[in-house]
Amino acid sequence: MSHKTLTEKIFESHLDREPKVGEVVVVDIDFAMGQDGTSPLAIQKFYEMGGKKVLKPEKIALVIDHGAPSPNEGFSNLHKLMRDFAYEQGIKLFDIGSGICHQLIPEYGFAGPYDIIVGADSHTCTYGAVGAFATGIGSSELSAVMLSGKLWFKIPASIRVVLSGKLPAGVYSKDIILYLAKLIGADGATYKALEFDGEVIDQLSVDARFTISNMAVEVGAKAGIFPVDDKTKLWLKEHGRENVKDLSIDPLANYESTIEIDVSKLEPQVALPHRVDNVVDISKVGDVPIHQGFIGTCTNGRLEDLEIASKILEGKQIHPKVRLIVSCASKSIYLEALRRGIIEKLINAGATIIPPGCGPCVGTHAGVPSDGENVISTANRNFKGRMGNNKAFIYLASPATVAVSCLTGKITDPRRYL
Amino acid sequence: MIIRGFAHKLGDDINTDYIISGKYKFKTLDMKELAQHIFEDIEPDFIKKIKPGDIIVAGKNFGCGSSREQAPLVIKNAGLSAVVAVSFARIFYRNAINNGLPLVECDTSNIDDGDELEIELEKGIVKDITKGFEIQINPLPPFMMKLLQDGGLVEHFKKYGGFSIE
Ligand code: SF4
């Protein structure tokens, strides 16, 4: 078999033989991660399994991002458990203020092509943007990796997603992945890997690719992998990874199916409450007043996203009935956004900046909406109760759509404001 | 493994936030306490409606969303004995097996709320005792069956000192 999917190529590099779709294999893990919602249970189970020393502490990182800084004593005690464990075991700990796990792992050079990475967080698939097979696992599995350095996988079949055409102004990678969710549904790729191909990839920055890989799990996928090109190599070099191997798509490989999307005709997309695949063209949203906007998260809290929003908001004021919350995905993004004057523009327009981290994305703190309120967010999930109040309504969109909607006070097409 | 209990029927795409809301899961590792809030955002007082051994019956994509292992643990700690659904999201699937919570994938359209069910995992059969029909299911792949029979990943590691299939 000379034609292989990206997934097969990556597993082959770990098995030293050709993998077969559907077979169960145990492989060495290149890097593993846990956050503050999942690590405490992993630490507990590590000891239950009889663990004393973590096998390869240099291949693990723990991140305090879901409740950072701690909103209550319960969280504080779990954070302490993580800090003590990381210190004892010599594991890298990203404490409060560092940022979101899925930004930090690639930013610190822990993710790259051919890596097999697991994280006790479903959006670990984000690192597929730089050519890794990365997927979410549970806490017990993180314990197993800490103990043995290995994990089992069922080799998934792959779906090739071909993105063709040219992205219109005001339409972004977020709109592409929301559109894909509409097309195939929340379980459209369950147990499968998505592999991205097509001329549009050249038009996307690595930041923009992270947004797409990040949401692969929202259509059920195990991974969302991009081939590696010069842009990826440059990005990786800037983040401490040099001399990476090529990883390219072979359209003749055994893809279970191929999905073609011509992005030239794409409108900005909005996911309506309470489902990520409940997506419509922005022209069909109708009149929806907005009470809170949120720009941030592991989906769209990167420099490019903040810059897009600040250009729209520069010299203007958000609507008096709207609150806008902004959280940078990491400390280094925060610092760069400060240097470039992005943060100042956002604050002057009326935004509230909260520390780098998950913020209100998962409803733990820092921006829980009130009953009946509508929130427009750059996050990846809009489930009922997601932001901490099951009587609120969450709409998902690109940073441009969120910024413009905060100006007008209702969901608004950004193309008219660029 | 034979499991017997009454069905509690839920819909499609029941996500892990609905199983246990993020606002509780971070507060504690006490799964009994978390179990008091099971399915609260979609069915308040769900915990009061169930009896030990009852079975969750759902549509497609059960357990989608986050990787929180608290989801299957809360189901177990609420006293529920299994989940039968048309399909499962993959991380939930792994987490359930890793914690010894039996899952069954099959057509659930003919099972109604309150039906008494009997599941024979090894044989791959779900019986609706109330209505008197049987559904044939695909048995679990051998490695996952082993994990389940061992009682989950912790017990598996204790027994073998690692994965048994390297
Ligand atoms: S930003 Fe939101 S989706 Fe991303 S890791 Fe944090 S809680 Fe999860």
PDB file of all heavy atoms in Angstrom, chain B residues 121-136:
ATOM      1  N   LEU B 121     -24.422  -8.895  27.699  1.00  0.00           N
ATOM      2  CA  LEU B 121     -23.308  -8.278  26.952  1.00  0.00           C
ATOM      3  C   LEU B 121     -22.518  -9.272  26.106  1.00  0.00           C
ATOM      4  O   LEU B 121     -22.250  -9.029  24.939  1.00  0.00           O
ATOM      5  CB  LEU B 121     -22.350  -7.608  27.928  1.00  0.00           C
ATOM      6  CG  LEU B 121     -22.644  -6.157  28.296  1.00  0.00           C
ATOM      7  CD1 LEU B 121     -21.516  -5.631  29.144  1.00  0.00           C
ATOM      8  CD2 LEU B 121     -22.827  -5.284  27.063  1.00  0.00           C
ATOM      9  N   GLU B 122     -22.137 -10.399  26.717  1.00  0.00           N
ATOM     10  CA  GLU B 122     -21.299 -11.361  25.990  1.00  0.00           C
ATOM     11  C   GLU B 122     -22.015 -11.923  24.769  1.00  0.00           C
ATOM     12  O   GLU B 122     -21.435 -12.098  23.716  1.00  0.00           O
ATOM     13  CB  GLU B 122     -20.842 -12.508  26.904  1.00  0.00           C
ATOM     14  CG  GLU B 122     -19.692 -12.137  27.828  1.00  0.00           C
ATOM     15  CD  GLU B 122     -20.158 -11.387  29.080  1.00  0.00           C
ATOM     16  OE1 GLU B 122     -21.374 -11.101  29.205  1.00  0.00           O
ATOM     17  OE2 GLU B 122     -19.300 -11.083  29.926  1.00  0.00           O
ATOM     18  N   LYS B 123     -23.325 -12.176  24.939  1.00  0.00           N
ATOM     19  CA  LYS B 123     -24.091 -12.731  23.821  1.00  0.00           C
ATOM     20  C   LYS B 123     -24.486 -11.643  22.822  1.00  0.00           C
ATOM     21  O   LYS B 123     -24.847 -11.940  21.684  1.00  0.00           O
ATOM     22  CB  LYS B 123     -25.370 -13.399  24.339  1.00  0.00           C
ATOM     23  CG  LYS B 123     -25.143 -14.755  24.954  1.00  0.00           C
ATOM     24  CD  LYS B 123     -26.470 -15.484  25.031  1.00  0.00           C
ATOM     25  CE  LYS B 123     -26.360 -16.696  25.931  1.00  0.00           C
ATOM     26  NZ  LYS B 123     -27.651 -16.997  26.552  1.00  0.00           N
ATOM     27  N   GLY B 124     -24.444 -10.389  23.274  1.00  0.00           N
ATOM     28  CA  GLY B 124     -24.823  -9.297  22.394  1.00  0.00           C
ATOM     29  C   GLY B 124     -26.330  -9.209  22.169  1.00  0.00           C
ATOM     30  O   GLY B 124     -26.805  -9.099  21.048  1.00  0.00           O
ATOM     31  N   ILE B 125     -27.099  -9.300  23.269  1.00  0.00           N
ATOM     32  CA  ILE B 125     -28.562  -9.236  23.138  1.00  0.00           C
ATOM     33  C   ILE B 125     -29.162  -8.222  24.112  1.00  0.00           C
ATOM     34  O   ILE B 125     -28.767  -8.166  25.283  1.00  0.00           O
ATOM     35  CB  ILE B 125     -29.208 -10.626  23.432  1.00  0.00           C
ATOM     36  CG1 ILE B 125     -28.791 -11.644  22.384  1.00  0.00           C
ATOM     37  CG2 ILE B 125     -30.730 -10.519  23.475  1.00  0.00           C
ATOM     38  CD1 ILE B 125     -29.209 -13.057  22.724  1.00  0.00           C
ATOM     39  N   VAL B 126     -30.080  -7.402  23.613  1.00  0.00           N
ATOM     40  CA  VAL B 126     -30.895  -6.551  24.489  1.00  0.00           C
ATOM     41  C   VAL B 126     -32.328  -7.069  24.387  1.00  0.00           C
ATOM     42  O   VAL B 126     -32.879  -7.181  23.292  1.00  0.00           O
ATOM     43  CB  VAL B 126     -30.851  -5.078  24.043  1.00  0.00           C
ATOM     44  CG1 VAL B 126     -31.807  -4.243  24.886  1.00  0.00           C
ATOM     45  CG2 VAL B 126     -29.440  -4.518  24.145  1.00  0.00           C
ATOM     46  N   LYS B 127     -32.931  -7.402  25.561  1.00  0.00           N
ATOM     47  CA  LYS B 127     -34.329  -7.864  25.554  1.00  0.00           C
ATOM     48  C   LYS B 127     -35.210  -6.781  26.154  1.00  0.00           C
ATOM     49  O   LYS B 127     -34.903  -6.242  27.219  1.00  0.00           O
ATOM     50  CB  LYS B 127     -34.474  -9.104  26.445  1.00  0.00           C
ATOM     51  CG  LYS B 127     -33.936 -10.363  25.863  1.00  0.00           C
ATOM     52  CD  LYS B 127     -34.275 -11.531  26.797  1.00  0.00           C
ATOM     53  CE  LYS B 127     -33.320 -12.675  26.525  1.00  0.00           C
ATOM     54  NZ  LYS B 127     -33.120 -13.555  27.686  1.00  0.00           N
ATOM     55  N   ASP B 128     -36.292  -6.461  25.459  1.00  0.00           N
ATOM     56  CA  ASP B 128     -37.311  -5.581  26.036  1.00  0.00           C
ATOM     57  C   ASP B 128     -38.348  -6.509  26.658  1.00  0.00           C
ATOM     58  O   ASP B 128     -39.178  -7.109  25.956  1.00  0.00           O
ATOM     59  CB  ASP B 128     -37.918  -4.680  24.947  1.00  0.00           C
ATOM     60  CG  ASP B 128     -38.832  -3.620  25.542  1.00  0.00           C
ATOM     61  OD1 ASP B 128     -39.620  -3.972  26.453  1.00  0.00           O
ATOM     62  OD2 ASP B 128     -38.768  -2.460  25.106  1.00  0.00           O
ATOM     63  N   ILE B 129     -38.264  -6.684  27.978  1.00  0.00           N
ATOM     64  CA  ILE B 129     -39.125  -7.648  28.660  1.00  0.00           C
ATOM     65  C   ILE B 129     -40.583  -7.181  28.638  1.00  0.00           C
ATOM     66  O   ILE B 129     -41.500  -7.963  28.429  1.00  0.00           O
ATOM     67  CB  ILE B 129     -38.631  -7.853  30.112  1.00  0.00           C
ATOM     68  CG1 ILE B 129     -37.231  -8.487  30.056  1.00  0.00           C
ATOM     69  CG2 ILE B 129     -39.581  -8.717  30.911  1.00  0.00           C
ATOM     70  CD1 ILE B 129     -36.492  -8.484  31.351  1.00  0.00           C
ATOM     71  N   THR B 130     -40.774  -5.874  28.807  1.00  0.00           N
ATOM     72  CA  THR B 130     -42.136  -5.316  28.807  1.00  0.00           C
ATOM     73  C   THR B 130     -42.850  -5.611  27.488  1.00  0.00           C
ATOM     74  O   THR B 130     -44.011  -6.017  27.469  1.00  0.00           O
ATOM     75  CB  THR B 130     -42.067  -3.782  29.007  1.00  0.00           C
ATOM     76  OG1 THR B 130     -41.251  -3.525  30.145  1.00  0.00           O
ATOM     77  CG2 THR B 130     -43.446  -3.187  29.207  1.00  0.00           C
ATOM     78  N   LYS B 131     -42.129  -5.402  26.371  1.00  0.00           N
ATOM     79  CA  LYS B 131     -42.787  -5.563  25.070  1.00  0.00           C
ATOM     80  C   LYS B 131     -42.514  -6.928  24.438  1.00  0.00           C
ATOM     81  O   LYS B 131     -43.140  -7.278  23.438  1.00  0.00           O
ATOM     82  CB  LYS B 131     -42.297  -4.480  24.102  1.00  0.00           C
ATOM     83  CG  LYS B 131     -42.662  -3.061  24.541  1.00  0.00           C
ATOM     84  CD  LYS B 131     -42.937  -2.193  23.329  1.00  0.00           C
ATOM     85  CE  LYS B 131     -43.143  -0.745  23.701  1.00  0.00           C
ATOM     86  NZ  LYS B 131     -41.890  -0.083  24.081  1.00  0.00           N
ATOM     87  N   GLY B 132     -41.553  -7.661  25.001  1.00  0.00           N
ATOM     88  CA  GLY B 132     -41.287  -9.009  24.495  1.00  0.00           C
ATOM     89  C   GLY B 132     -40.561  -9.065  23.156  1.00  0.00           C
ATOM     90  O   GLY B 132     -40.891  -9.892  22.306  1.00  0.00           O
ATOM     91  N   PHE B 133     -39.593  -8.185  22.926  1.00  0.00           N
ATOM     92  CA  PHE B 133     -38.761  -8.365  21.722  1.00  0.00           C
ATOM     93  C   PHE B 133     -37.271  -8.325  22.074  1.00  0.00           C
ATOM     94  O   PHE B 133     -36.899  -7.904  23.179  1.00  0.00           O
ATOM     95  CB  PHE B 133     -39.096  -7.330  20.636  1.00  0.00           C
ATOM     96  CG  PHE B 133     -38.784  -5.901  20.990  1.00  0.00           C
ATOM     97  CD1 PHE B 133     -37.495  -5.397  20.839  1.00  0.00           C
ATOM     98  CD2 PHE B 133     -39.785  -5.048  21.456  1.00  0.00           C
ATOM     99  CE1 PHE B 133     -37.208  -4.079  21.159  1.00  0.00           C
ATOM    100  CE2 PHE B 133     -39.498  -3.722  21.775  1.00  0.00           C
ATOM    101  CZ  PHE B 133     -38.210  -3.237  21.626  1.00  0.00           C
ATOM    102  N   GLU B 134     -36.458  -8.802  21.133  1.00  0.00           N
ATOM    103  CA  GLU B 134     -35.011  -8.845  21.348  1.00  0.00           C
ATOM    104  C   GLU B 134     -34.301  -8.067  20.254  1.00  0.00           C
ATOM    105  O   GLU B 134     -34.728  -8.065  19.112  1.00  0.00           O
ATOM    106  CB  GLU B 134     -34.511 -10.300  21.246  1.00  0.00           C
ATOM    107  CG  GLU B 134     -34.612 -11.069  22.521  1.00  0.00           C
ATOM    108  CD  GLU B 134     -33.955 -12.450  22.412  1.00  0.00           C
ATOM    109  OE1 GLU B 134     -33.099 -12.662  21.521  1.00  0.00           O
ATOM    110  OE2 GLU B 134     -34.325 -13.301  23.224  1.00  0.00           O
ATOM    111  N   ILE B 135     -33.213  -7.408  20.640  1.00  0.00           N
ATOM    112  CA  ILE B 135     -32.392  -6.722  19.640  1.00  0.00           C
ATOM    113  C   ILE B 135     -30.998  -7.333  19.683  1.00  0.00           C
ATOM    114  O   ILE B 135     -30.407  -7.498  20.749  1.00  0.00           O
ATOM    115  CB  ILE B 135     -32.279  -5.203  19.933  1.00  0.00           C
ATOM    116  CG1 ILE B 135     -33.653  -4.578  20.170  1.00  0.00           C
ATOM    117  CG2 ILE B 135     -31.560  -4.485  18.800  1.00  0.00           C
ATOM    118  CD1 ILE B 135     -33.606  -3.178  20.745  1.00  0.00           C
ATOM    119  N   GLN B 136     -30.516  -7.712  18.498  1.00  0.00           N
ATOM    120  CA  GLN B 136     -29.159  -8.246  18.397  1.00  0.00           C
ATOM    121  C   GLN B 136     -28.187  -7.063  18.323  1.00  0.00           C
ATOM    122  O   GLN B 136     -28.436  -6.107  17.585  1.00  0.00           O
ATOM    123  CB  GLN B 136     -29.070  -9.089  17.112  1.00  0.00           C
ATOM    124  CG  GLN B 136     -27.968 -10.120  17.118  1.00  0.00           C
ATOM    125  CD  GLN B 136     -28.189 -11.223  18.159  1.00  0.00           C
ATOM    126  OE1 GLN B 136     -29.309 -11.701  18.320  1.00  0.00           O
ATOM    127  NE2 GLN B 136     -27.130 -11.590  18.863  1.00  0.00           N
TER     128      GLN B 136
END
